[in-house]
Amino acid sequence: MRPRVGQMLGSTVDTTAVIVVRCPDEDLEITCGGAAMVEGSGPAVTGTPDPDLMGGALLGKRYADEDLGVEFLCTKPGPGTLAVNGVPLPMKSAKPLPASD
């Protein structure tokens, strides 16, 4: 799949849904719980997740990989782990605010 910024993706194995915030201009394999995500806010659950990929996605959190240049914003939480090209995405940490001395 070739994602585009602003596109909504939904999991087919749980309730997880994300919005693409940043992505490269190339085909990526975007999965949740080991199954490919599809365009839309959350189609009907049709598959079963991989038990080893059940780390969960939290509402309002960003998941990113700087090396791949991808970032997703979770709009619906779920138990599946988000991954791109087989690599699980870590939760993006907040940037520290500058000191106000």
Side-chain angles (χ1 to χ4, degrees), residues 2-4 20 22-28 68-71 84:
R2 186 177 296 251
R4 61 189 183 283
V20 179
R22 188 169 43 106
C23 63
D25 189 25
E26 62 185 62
D27 286 333
L28 299 173
L68 291 173
V70 298
E71 184 175 331
V84 174

Side-chain angles (χ1 to χ4, degrees):
M1 156 189 310
R2 186 177 296 251
R4 61 189 183 283
V5 173
Q7 182 178 24
M8 191 166 230
L9 302 174
S11 173
T12 59
V13 295
D14 67 13
T15 58
T16 304
V18 299
I19 291 178
V20 179
V21 176
R22 188 169 43 106
C23 63
D25 189 25
E26 62 185 62
D27 286 333
L28 299 173
E29 180 189 7
I30 303 168
T31 60
C32 180
M37 295 188 83
V38 296
E39 188 167 2
S41 62
V45 175
T46 58
T48 55
D50 183 339
D52 294 332
L53 296 172
M54 297 302 288
L58 302 174
L59 177 66
K61 298 297 181 183
R62 291 176 184 251
Y63 294 84
D65 185 324
E66 297 302 322
D67 294 337
L68 291 173
V70 298
E71 184 175 331
F72 303 112
L73 172 64
C74 181
T75 58
K76 289 184 184 176
T81 298
L82 295 170
V84 174
N85 297 337
V87 178
L89 292 176
M91 188 183 313
K92 188 173 180 180
S93 58
K95 293 180 182 178
L97 296 173
S100 60
D101 292 338

